[in-house]
Amino acid sequence: MQRAFDLTSAALFLAANPKAEPFIKAVRKFQSTISVSTDLAEVKKSVEELQTMREDLGDRWHIARALLTHAVVVYCRASHTKAVERYDVGVIGAYSPEQREAHKLIVNLWDKVLAHFGPGKGWHEERVLYLEQDHGDAITAIHHRVNSDSMVFDILENLLETAIPYVKAKEVDRANEIDAELTKAPELFKVIDLTPFNVDEFYKGVPGGIENFWGPMAFMAQRTVKKTTRN
């Protein structure tokens, strides 16, 4: 028999029980790590696409701008910004001193240019002009906005080479923490049994979602701890 149980829901159900706090924290830490890992994987996809476009943008400048914005914003969400819904995974702790400085450059680009409007050392150039012309004077404005910068996605590529393996290792550590809590408190399974996970409902309308859920080659296989505490 194949069954799945929703540990996120079980943790919410146990929120009022102080004895369950270590288990709840372990679940949240694992979920946070998976969330950050997913963000970094999405950044990697955008950076890889930007690298293929770097030699010849052609008329795809708007795509490059969108990919760069996505890569920088999601990278900062995963590595810099704080959120109530997930714990800090500590990505920056894996960086060398040089990478930490590079990380600051990306965060500054996010903060001063992309998330909040600012010139950002030439990324946005705007001027209000007064024109004197034969057919009449006018007040107007011009702008120049950089679509992408190959240095930025080179920096991101380097940071991801360190960040992704670091967070992947954390996934296993955090899953083992849940496993350890279940070993110490097997009575938790009484609650877990009450929170089955409905695969069909969760992946309703998602192509391949239900079919790819189970089995050793399933989408979650690399995030699965290959042992169980339950006999």
Side-chain angles (χ1 to χ4, degrees):
M1 175 184 289
Q2 296 184 133
R3 297 189 300 169
F5 297 91
D6 189 339
L7 296 187
T8 300
S9 294
L12 289 172
F13 183 83
L14 290 163
N17 184 348
K19 292 183 179 180
E21 186 175 343
F23 167 73
I24 295 169
K25 186 175 182 179
V27 171
R28 288 193 62 196
K29 286 169 67 177
F30 179 65
Q31 185 166 323
S32 297
T33 305
I34 293 294
S35 181
V36 168
S37 183
T38 301
D39 274 354
L40 293 176
E42 289 299 313
V43 175
K44 188 173 187 291
K45 290 177 183 178
S46 290
V47 170
E48 287 174 345
E49 187 61 30
L50 283 164
Q51 294 287 26
T52 65
M53 298 170 63
R54 69 186 303 162
E55 298 299 330
D56 182 23
L57 277 180
D59 61 355
R60 298 178 296 171
W61 57 266
H62 58 293
I63 298 175
R65 179 186 292 170
L67 287 169
L68 185 67
T69 299
H70 172 268
V72 171
V73 170
V74 177
Y75 170 80
C76 289
R77 184 173 73 191
S79 64
H80 175 71
T81 57
K82 294 179 174 60
V84 175
E85 295 299 322
R86 70 183 183 190
Y87 288 97
D88 182 4
V89 177
V91 173
I92 301 171
Y95 291 157
S96 68
E98 294 76 17
Q99 285 178 315
R100 292 190 184 196
E101 290 303 312
H103 169 80
K104 290 178 183 178
L105 289 174
I106 299 299
V107 171
N108 188 66
L109 176 60
W110 164 76
D111 187 37
K112 304 298 184 183
V113 177
L114 300 178
H116 308 99
F117 184 82
K121 294 184 179 180
W123 278 79
H124 299 154
E125 292 285 353
E126 298 181 340
R127 298 288 189 276
V128 175
L129 304 180
Y130 186 93
L131 303 181
E132 293 182 345
Q133 305 175 97
D134 293 340
H135 56 276
D137 298 349
I139 295 173
T140 188
I142 58 172
H143 73 269
H144 171 68
R145 300 186 178 188
V146 174
N147 295 318
S148 66
D149 185 332
S150 60
M151 182 187 73
V152 172
F153 37 90
D154 285 343
I155 290 173
L156 284 170
E157 185 176 53
N158 176 262
L159 293 175
L160 291 172
E161 287 176 356
T162 298
I164 290 176
Y166 172 81
V167 178
K168 283 291 182 185
K170 287 288 184 183
E171 289 181 15
V172 178
D173 292 342
R174 298 298 181 248
N176 281 327
E177 288 179 15
I178 297 176
D179 194 68
E181 292 305 323
L182 292 174
T183 300
K184 289 188 289 185
E187 65 274 12
L188 289 169
F189 281 109
K190 293 179 181 178
V191 174
I192 292 172
D193 283 339
L194 300 175
T195 57
F197 177 67
N198 190 325
V199 179
D200 293 353
E201 182 62 28
F202 188 84
Y203 285 104
K204 184 178 180 180
V206 179
I210 298 170
E211 295 80 0
N212 292 333
F213 183 80
W214 295 107
M217 301 305 292
F219 74 92
M220 84 294 271
Q222 293 182 351
R223 292 174 172 172
T224 303
V225 177
K226 304 298 184 182
K227 68 173 183 176
T228 178
T229 59
R230 194 174 190 178
N231 296 323

